[in-house]
Amino acid sequence: MRIHLSSVFVDDQDKALRFYTDVLGFVKKHEIPLGAARWLTVVSPEAPEGTELLLEPDGHPAVKPYKTALVADGIPAASFAVDDVPAEFERLRGLGVRFTQEPVEMGPVTTAVLDDTCGNLIQIVHSA
């Protein structure tokens, strides 16, 4: 068994697609119209057949309170691996990305947390 798909709830699929591709560097995998929304996934360019991230509309009534509570408590909705957290932090900050946590070393792990502009906090992480 392996993870095939994970999702992050977004308040605007177009804005999310721009952020996750143009800023974070993911690549669009699927875009299938489903009425007012789309089945919209992105993947890592390093693993185009790997795990997909669904940019899922946050229209369900339970989602917005859930997202608001996570952000208020500083809890990331997802975590993405990078090779060098400080370098990625500088690259993203240079693109105007807002971070809620600058790089922090915690033993063999370094993390930082960013705002995805779509209602979520996202952690970037590197494990030594």
Side-chain angles (χ1 to χ4, degrees), residues 1-95:
M1 188 176 303
R2 58 191 183 279
I3 298 170
H4 169 70
L5 177 84
S6 188
S7 63
V8 61
F9 291 108
V10 299
D11 58 13
D12 180 312
Q13 285 187 302
D14 291 323
K15 179 173 66 171
L17 182 61
R18 283 190 303 274
F19 184 83
Y20 281 79
T21 57
D22 296 346
V23 177
L24 296 185
F26 290 105
V27 177
K28 181 171 64 172
K29 174 83 176 200
H30 294 291
E31 184 171 7
I32 302 166
L34 296 171
R38 298 166 292 186
W39 181 263
L40 183 60
T41 66
V42 295
V43 293
S44 168
E46 297 171 12
E49 300 306 316
T51 304
E52 296 178 45
L53 180 68
L54 175 62
L55 303 177
E56 189 165 356
D58 66 1
H60 187 282
V63 173
K64 288 185 183 177
Y66 169 74
K67 284 174 56 177
T68 299
L70 288 179
V71 170
D73 289 344
I75 300 171
S79 183
F80 303 141
V82 299
D83 292 331
D84 184 332
V85 171
E88 193 65 12
F89 169 80
E90 291 300 332
R91 182 187 79 80
L92 292 171
R93 192 169 63 170
L95 293 172

Side-chain angles (χ1 to χ4, degrees), residues 86-125:
E88 193 65 12
F89 169 80
E90 291 300 332
R91 182 187 79 80
L92 292 171
R93 192 169 63 170
L95 293 172
V97 173
R98 185 178 76 81
F99 280 80
T100 61
Q101 177 201 302
E102 294 193 5
V104 173
E105 290 185 30
M106 297 173 279
V109 176
T110 302
T111 66
V113 178
L114 62 94
D115 178 342
D116 79 347
T117 75
C118 302
N120 303 289
L121 297 179
I122 302 295
Q123 181 181 67
I124 57 173
V125 63

